Amino acid sequence: MANLDDLYKEIILDHYKNPRNKGELETPPAIKSQGYNPFCGDEVTVYLDVEDDIIKDIKIESSGCSISQSSASMMTQAVKGSKIDEAEDKIYQFKAMMDLHEQNIDRDTDEEENNLLKKNNLGELEALKGVVKFPTRIKCATLPWNTLIEAIRQENDND
Ligand code: ZN
């Protein structure tokens, strides 16, 4: 288990040091959405370029802790090139992972967790599940995802 924790730490650190899809997109055509986590001071700006219900491009400008920034970086990889409804599934699954761990934090639910994660197939994003041991950090991890939800909502309003 210690090895897995180390691996997770490595993944988070790698995304923090080398954030994927960092930068800005021209608005319009891209949608811009900003999020802020007052508990930690994290700031995330999501630029979303959607064409024919597909996320053609996504870029992130962010500042803050390693959890929020690595979560943002992993999120861009998870949703870039997918259909909007696939991206919404990923968002739901990620937030469910955070909720699941929050609820079951004091119980031995390895089997249940493994089944859910297997079904979800969140890949590298599973590295972030360790943060639920630190409830204040959950808001760091979910900030980019909530900001993406807002961007998708704006996109839907435009149609
Ligand atoms: Zn934070």
Side-chain angles (χ1 to χ4, degrees):
M1 203 59 198
N3 288 339
L4 194 59
D5 281 349
D6 285 347
L7 175 68
Y8 286 164
K9 264 180 219 157
E10 237 169 76
I11 292 172
I12 289 171
L13 212 58
D14 177 52
H15 278 272
Y16 178 54
K17 286 181 176 166
N18 310 295
R20 322 300 200 262
N21 301 300
K22 186 182 170 68
E24 300 177 21
L25 293 172
E26 199 180 329
T27 54
I31 299 267
K32 178 182 173 181
S33 171
Q34 286 176 294
Y36 177 56
N37 171 20
F39 298 97
C40 181
D42 307 311
E43 288 179 353
V44 172
T45 305
V46 172
Y47 295 90
L48 191 69
D49 189 359
V50 176
E51 209 177 284
D52 299 330
D53 283 332
I54 289 171
I55 297 179
K56 223 177 73 184
D57 206 356
I58 177 169
K59 294 240 190 275
I60 302 267
E61 281 288 334
S62 68
S63 65
C65 70
S66 58
I67 299 296
S68 65
Q69 298 210 50
S70 62
S71 181
S73 172
M74 287 186 229
M75 179 184 79
T76 62
Q77 284 194 314
V79 302
K80 190 173 171 178
S82 16
K83 288 181 182 167
I84 287 288
D85 53 0
E86 288 168 352
E88 285 174 333
D89 280 351
K90 272 269 154 65
I91 294 168
Y92 172 78
Q93 286 167 4
F94 182 79
K95 288 170 77 87
M97 178 174 80
M98 290 290 155
D99 283 348
L100 176 84
H101 282 261
E102 202 171 19
Q103 285 161 15
N104 296 329
I105 200 70
D106 293 325
R107 285 169 35 206
D108 182 17
T109 53
D110 281 352
E111 198 182 334
E112 192 184 323
E113 287 171 8
N114 287 340
N115 286 341
L116 185 91
L117 292 172
K118 220 176 279 169
K119 194 179 72 190
N120 285 351
N121 190 21
L122 284 168
E124 276 194 335
L125 289 165
E126 289 174 26
L128 286 165
K129 71 180 179 182
V131 308
V132 297
K133 290 174 197 154
F134 312 96
T136 54
R137 310 311 293 278
I138 294 174
K139 287 192 166 60
C140 303
T142 53
L143 173 68
W145 299 79
N146 290 329
T147 311
L148 175 60
I149 290 171
E150 175 59 25
I152 290 174
R153 198 188 57 75
Q154 283 182 44
E155 169 66 27
N156 289 339
D157 284 353
N158 281 355
D159 289 347

